[in-house]
Amino acid sequence: MNGISRREILRAGAVGSALLAGQAIASPLGGPRMMPASMDRDVFAAALKDLRAIVGADWVFADEASTASYKKSFIPDPLGHHIPSGAVAPASVEEVQAILKVANRYKLPLWPVSTGKNMGYGMATPASSGQMILDLKRMNKIIHVDGELGTALVEPGVTYQDMHDYLVAHNLPYWLDVPTVGPIVSMLGNTLERGVGYTPYGDHFFFQCGMEVVLADGSILKTGMGSVKDSTTWQAFKWGYGPYLDGLFTQSNFGVVTKLGMWLMPKPPAYKAFMVRHPNPEDIAAITDTIRPFRMSNLIPNGVLIMGAAYQLAMFHRRDEFWKEPGSIPDEVVKREAAKRGLGMWNTYFALYGTDKIIGAIEPIVRRAFEASGGEVMTAAEMTGNPWFEHHQTLMRGGMTLEEIGIVRWRGNGGGMVAFAPVAPAKGEEPKGQTALAKEIMAKYNFDYAPAYAVGGRELHHIIFLMFDKSDPEQENRADACMTEMITRFGEKGWCAYRSAVSTMDLVAAQYGATNREVNARLKQALDPNHIIAPGKQGIA
């Protein structure tokens, strides 16, 4: 079995990611596992011995039983192109440095993960089979929190729940901004993938400040003010001196980030959550045009989430409760079931923050605009107890919730889900066109269109979760083909993704052009000449 997806390379025109074809070998427990093709088993065994000498035998995993959790993924992988050879879990920066030395010696490719909960994009699985997971979850210290400045410095294994508990325990007046399943997600990992949340601090990379990066040769880079001896401003000032380097280590494989600085949101004196219901699929254009000026002026200060009814239903229900027939679930069925639960076809969530006086002044303006667009504006006065409203109200104040994991149960028992997130300008015609194209493609493959749109400042993220039964090989193949067509056809219209599952990284990278890829390749060669850190990540070999 070949570990690298040649199908992906051919359709993307990618050449560099073919470095790591994996080959099956027998594990000590008798089952197959993957190993880098260029490495014979004696060399692999020697590498494992050296890794065990660094972290201890209990923290190197290289058999079927101990690596099972690292192979778990919700995304389609019908040909087994994303199977790790094992995992190693260091507990310190010094151990990371030593592991990279071993990786360079044996040309062992490593795939760094923080907590490995990147659910719609591949969990901990690598871009190509044979890579060894560099599992950083044991590095889970909250190194420092400045109660006056509202800054934090954390290691990769620190989850949003960890930081939430710390703030509560120390009675600090700050809120977190969390992604959808924050309690189990790494703050560092989500920020490096340029993830987003739901409060005014929702652009996580924007509110990041300072990194510690272990480069492939083991040297340590501290970005921004961190490189200054005895600096006290590492988490206070983002830019430092000279070129700004932090962005190079997001969505890349140029180094291993071992510390991350973040800014925390001061808890506001007052907060009020809103939900706006719109009844028709075509209302998405008017909703977008209504939101844009409020986001550009910051009168609505948080990222606005426009949730499709099918996505909302999937959080707490299974598909066969509503529809057992072949083909996509019809809009009229979704609309009917949503209405029974107090939902529209589109449900827009946003919040106002500040003082009661500020909220009282802005609320009438916002209400008039949304009502003019055909929406029904709701608050806790009408929606308390509604599970969807309560869920989003929690997220928009940085609260902990895992409820959206429920979407993996929508179809069958196999836990299949993969995300596609194209970006467009926040203009009404854009989501109108994207919605039509997505519905066409997904209907062709007999999947349900379950979308969400997020309006940032001037951009619109279209978050499409393709939900399927991974235990059904036919569905898994269909899901793989559907995602390929979706990415390809959206890209032809200039609608490209801002992040990608490991199964489609080459395909998305090809859409960004040859020069972009060549520059990334030069940086990779300069910083990691043996290509040991996450080959293939974001299409960078």
Side-chain angles (χ1 to χ4, degrees):
M1 176 165 52
N2 288 327
I4 185 72
S5 170
R6 290 185 177 84
R7 168 176 49 80
E8 294 285 19
I9 294 171
L10 289 171
R11 70 189 178 188
V15 293
S17 297
L19 293 175
L20 289 173
Q23 65 186 55
I25 62 172
S27 79
L29 298 185
R33 59 181 168 81
M34 300 303 296
M35 185 176 71
S38 59
M39 184 180 294
D40 67 40
R41 67 181 66 201
D42 291 337
V43 174
F44 188 64
L48 293 178
K49 180 180 178 182
D50 286 358
L51 293 175
R52 290 186 179 108
I54 295 167
V55 300
D58 289 345
W59 298 107
V60 176
F61 312 101
D63 58 60
E64 284 296 304
S66 66
T67 59
S69 63
Y70 295 101
K71 298 174 184 177
K72 180 178 175 60
S73 174
F74 297 126
I75 68 169
D77 184 19
L79 300 179
H81 287 156
H82 307 285
I83 300 174
S85 58
V88 55
S92 67
V93 173
E94 292 75 19
E95 288 184 359
V96 171
Q97 292 175 293
I99 289 167
L100 288 170
K101 183 176 181 180
V102 170
N104 276 294
R105 182 185 311 136
Y106 294 103
K107 306 300 186 289
L108 175 66
L110 301 170
W111 183 265
V113 302
S114 299
T115 61
K117 303 300 184 185
N118 204 0
M119 291 190 176
Y121 299 97
M123 303 287 276
T125 57
S128 58
S129 289
Q131 301 191 45
M132 175 160 275
I133 306 303
L134 179 59
D135 184 352
L136 303 174
K137 67 173 176 284
R138 292 177 68 206
M139 298 173 64
N140 57 2
K141 296 184 185 69
I142 298 174
I143 298 166
H144 179 66
V145 175
D146 189 313
E148 294 177 282
L149 291 177
T151 65
L153 183 66
V154 300
E155 290 186 326
V158 175
T159 66
Y160 287 93
Q161 184 73 58
D162 294 334
M163 181 56 72
H164 174 271
D165 294 345
Y166 182 97
L167 296 177
V168 170
H170 291 81
N171 196 29
L172 293 173
Y174 297 102
W175 281 359
L176 292 178
D177 187 278
V178 298
T180 299
V181 289
I184 58 176
V185 172
S186 161
M187 295 179 70
L188 181 148
N190 183 266
T191 302
L192 295 187
E193 289 300 307
R194 300 202 287 270
V196 296
Y198 306 95
T199 77
Y201 277 44
D203 185 337
H204 293 169
F205 178 55
F206 183 83
F207 289 98
Q208 172 270 330
C209 189
M211 295 178 182
E212 176 187 84
V213 186
V214 182
L215 300 178
D217 64 2
S219 59
I220 293 177
L221 168 69
K222 292 185 178 181
T223 66
M225 303 302 293
S227 60
V228 176
K229 184 180 179 181
D230 299 327
S231 172
T232 60
T233 54
W234 192 16
Q235 274 71 67
F237 181 61
K238 287 173 68 73
W239 313 118
Y241 179 77
Y244 180 69
L245 300 177
D246 297 55
L248 287 177
F249 301 101
T250 68
Q251 290 194 10
S252 81
N253 52 13
F254 299 149
V256 179
V257 181
T258 49
K259 292 183 180 67
L260 188 82
M262 292 294 294
W263 293 340
L264 306 173
M265 176 182 167
K267 182 179 179 180
Y271 156 74
K272 189 170 184 177
F274 295 81
M275 169 182 159
V276 185
R277 296 189 296 223
H278 280 81
N280 303 308
E282 58 270 22
D283 292 334
I284 186 61
I287 298 168
T288 302
D289 286 333
T290 300
I291 294 167
R292 184 183 60 254
F294 288 115
R295 287 297 295 121
M296 289 175 63
S297 64
N298 214 36
L299 282 178
I300 294 178
N302 67 319
V304 178
L305 202 61
I306 312 165
M307 300 293 293
Y311 187 115
Q312 299 260 268
L313 290 172
M315 287 171 56
F316 299 114
H317 295 278
R318 289 177 177 260
R319 185 180 193 267
D320 59 12
E321 294 177 42
F322 314 127
W323 187 250
K324 294 181 173 67
E325 305 301 319
S328 302
I329 187 169
D331 280 349
E332 57 267 25
V333 173
V334 174
K335 186 173 184 178
R336 181 188 70 220
E337 297 300 329
K340 289 179 182 178
R341 294 159 177 83
L343 301 171
M345 281 299 277
W346 295 106
N347 306 280
T348 301
Y349 298 93
F350 64 91
L352 299 178
Y353 305 78
T355 65
D356 289 331
K357 186 174 182 179
I358 291 170
I359 292 172
I362 297 173
E363 180 176 347
I365 302 169
V366 174
R367 278 185 175 273
R368 285 194 296 270
F370 275 106
E371 288 167 355
S373 73
E376 185 180 10
V377 182
M378 317 297 284
T379 67
E382 301 87 12
M383 299 300 292
T384 293
N386 179 286
W388 291 274
F389 179 83
E390 298 288 358
H391 170 75
H392 289 284
Q393 181 174 237
T394 297
L395 286 175
M396 291 187 295
R397 62 169 178 259
M400 299 293 111
T401 171
L402 289 170
E403 291 168 328
E404 285 192 42
I405 291 177
I407 66 175
V408 303
R409 300 188 298 266
W410 175 246
R411 196 159 188 162
N413 298 311
M417 174 186 72
V418 59
F420 174 45
V423 182
K427 298 178 180 180
E429 288 301 309
E430 300 278 342
K432 184 178 177 181
Q434 286 199 6
T435 295
L437 181 57
K439 290 179 77 170
E440 174 204 330
I441 296 169
M442 297 188 82
K444 173 181 174 181
Y445 291 92
N446 293 324
F447 290 116
D448 303 317
Y449 176 58
Y453 283 98
V455 182
R458 292 165 172 80
E459 87 286 358
L460 184 77
H461 296 184
H462 187 183
I463 305 159
I464 304 169
F465 278 105
L466 194 165
M467 299 174 292
F468 65 100
D469 185 350
K470 193 170 170 118
S471 67
D472 180 344
E474 189 274 334
Q475 273 197 50
E476 185 170 23
N477 275 289
R478 248 192 305 127
D480 192 43
C482 181
M483 188 55 60
T484 297
E485 181 167 344
M486 193 117 63
I487 291 170
T488 301
R489 292 184 61 190
F490 269 68
E492 289 168 354
K493 293 181 176 292
W495 294 325
C496 292
Y498 84 101
R499 63 196 293 191
S500 170
V502 294
S503 55
T504 55
M505 285 181 170
D506 284 331
L507 182 60
V508 173
Q511 295 176 327
Y512 281 81
T515 301
N516 180 284
R517 301 196 72 176
E518 288 166 7
V519 169
N520 285 337
R522 291 180 202 172
L523 290 168
K524 179 66 172 174
Q525 185 61 31
L527 293 172
D528 182 12
N530 289 322
H531 297 252
I532 59 167
I533 301 175
K537 182 168 173 57
Q538 260 67 39
I540 307 167

